[in-house]
Amino acid sequence: MTTVRALLAAARRRLAAAPFDAPPREARLLLAHVLGKREVDLLGGDGDAISASAAARFAELLERRLCGEPVAYLLGEREFWGRSFRVDARVLVPRPETEHLIEAALALPLPPQPHFLDLGTGSGCIATTLACELTAARGVALDLSPATLAVAAGNLHRHGASSRVRLLASDLGRGLALSRFDLVVSNPPYLALADASAISTEVRDQEPHLALFSGERGLDTIERLLFEVGPALAPAAWLAFEIGAGQLDPVLEMAERSRLEPAHWIADLAGIPRVVVLRRRAT
Ligand code: GLN
């Protein structure tokens, strides 16, 4: 029989030695998950005994974590804009930077019953959040991968948004009448293949490549948003998407040649321009 204190101390030592950034707090998160408790419930219970079976389950999760599996996959969920989303290796883990995309969308002067389109929905966190926050909105969420759509469907259902958001397997809205949307949002893949060796193995080796990488410079999908999706939008419709570090200038340059007019951009908490908002030109 071991105790919470002994298990956590050993786990923290091993996490500290991991070849990637694994905050010591993750030990308590994983143990709370195994015990079916909240993290705060473990505070103060350091001397509590842990059964052998719980210790074995914890050891298994810790090994997976030490092999680089993201904590969100081990816990099976991640919070985004105040709601919990189920995630697994089929989808990108929702990130706090992407909350700026929601912030940008909610600040737009949209019609009372807006129609939105989410391109590359992944876990469905963006589409679900928009549907929950804009209670009169209807949306369509697309992803290339049917396996991913199953995860998004679960999350829409979980938050009561299934009846207002339609899911489709499609490549950036090909075959869809894009002119009926007031707002198109996307967290596209934008990492550069050229930088792949410099990206944390935790991300590169564990999360879906389709959701991460887009061409040598990371700009291929964004280019398609500007030049394939943009021209098909109705005049004055909005297009808002996430970008990577250093991509604001090339994106604004591309936009100059497109049918879209940059409206504004938002920096993330690290000061990196992260979300660009554009509007379809009238002519
Ligand atoms: N923001 C992710 C990362 O840097 C990349 C996701 C994406 O390409 N949209 O890990």
Side-chain angles (χ1 to χ4, degrees):
M1 198 72 96
T2 181
T3 62
V4 167
R5 182 187 303 118
L7 267 192
L8 290 182
R12 287 190 187 113
R13 274 196 301 277
R14 296 201 57 203
L15 286 169
F20 48 83
D21 184 33
R25 176 186 161 207
E26 290 183 357
R28 200 186 311 120
L29 265 176
L30 293 177
L31 186 57
H33 177 70
V34 164
L35 299 176
K37 294 184 171 183
R38 293 173 310 162
E39 226 189 321
V40 300
D41 298 334
L42 289 190
L43 297 172
D46 275 7
D48 290 358
I50 302 281
S51 70
S53 69
R57 271 182 290 136
F58 176 67
E60 187 204 320
L61 286 187
L62 183 65
E63 287 315 315
R64 285 170 60 188
R65 179 67 192 113
L66 290 165
C67 289
E69 226 176 297
V71 175
Y73 291 163
L74 299 176
L75 301 179
E77 62 186 349
R78 173 55 51 94
E79 192 170 304
F80 182 81
W81 203 267
R83 294 181 185 86
S84 171
F85 288 86
R86 294 228 191 279
V87 291
D88 59 35
R90 288 174 287 181
V91 299
L92 190 80
V93 176
R95 289 159 164 69
E97 300 90 277
T98 307
E99 293 181 328
H100 294 296
L101 185 56
I102 302 294
E103 185 189 325
L106 297 183
L108 292 173
L110 296 171
Q113 297 183 320
H115 245 100
F116 69 85
L117 173 66
D118 177 19
L119 297 174
T121 196
S123 65
C125 66
I126 298 169
T128 304
T129 303
L130 288 181
C132 290
E133 298 296 325
L134 302 168
T135 50
R138 292 189 165 272
V140 175
L142 309 181
D143 207 283
L144 258 180
S145 137
T148 295
L149 288 174
V151 180
N155 281 320
L156 281 167
H157 179 73
R158 185 175 190 191
H159 295 294
S162 321
S163 63
R164 287 187 293 120
V165 181
R166 201 151 56 95
L167 289 168
L168 288 176
S170 156
D171 181 23
L172 290 195
R174 278 206 181 136
L176 210 65
L178 295 177
S179 60
R180 65 193 166 96
F181 296 103
D182 304 296
L183 166 67
V184 177
V185 289
S186 182
N187 174 17
Y190 56 65
L191 297 182
L193 282 172
D195 295 338
S197 62
I199 289 162
S200 147
T201 54
E202 250 191 307
V203 173
R204 189 188 63 210
D205 301 341
Q206 304 283 339
E207 295 190 86
H209 276 203
L210 198 60
L212 292 171
F213 293 100
S214 192
E216 272 308 294
R217 298 171 63 212
L219 290 167
D220 288 10
T221 305
I222 290 176
E223 190 170 7
R224 291 186 56 203
L225 288 177
L226 294 174
F227 296 104
E228 282 178 35
V229 175
L233 299 179
W238 301 94
L239 172 65
F241 55 86
E242 185 170 323
I243 60 171
Q247 291 180 337
L248 182 63
D249 285 344
V251 167
L252 293 180
E253 258 166 49
M254 280 195 276
E256 257 176 53
R257 291 181 278 116
S258 79
R259 305 286 290 275
L260 298 152
E261 183 137 55
H264 60 275
W265 53 270
I266 300 181
D268 64 18
L269 298 177
I272 298 170
R274 189 58 74 181
V275 170
V276 190
V277 181
L278 303 106
R279 195 166 204 193
R280 173 73 159 76
R281 295 180 210 271
T283 53

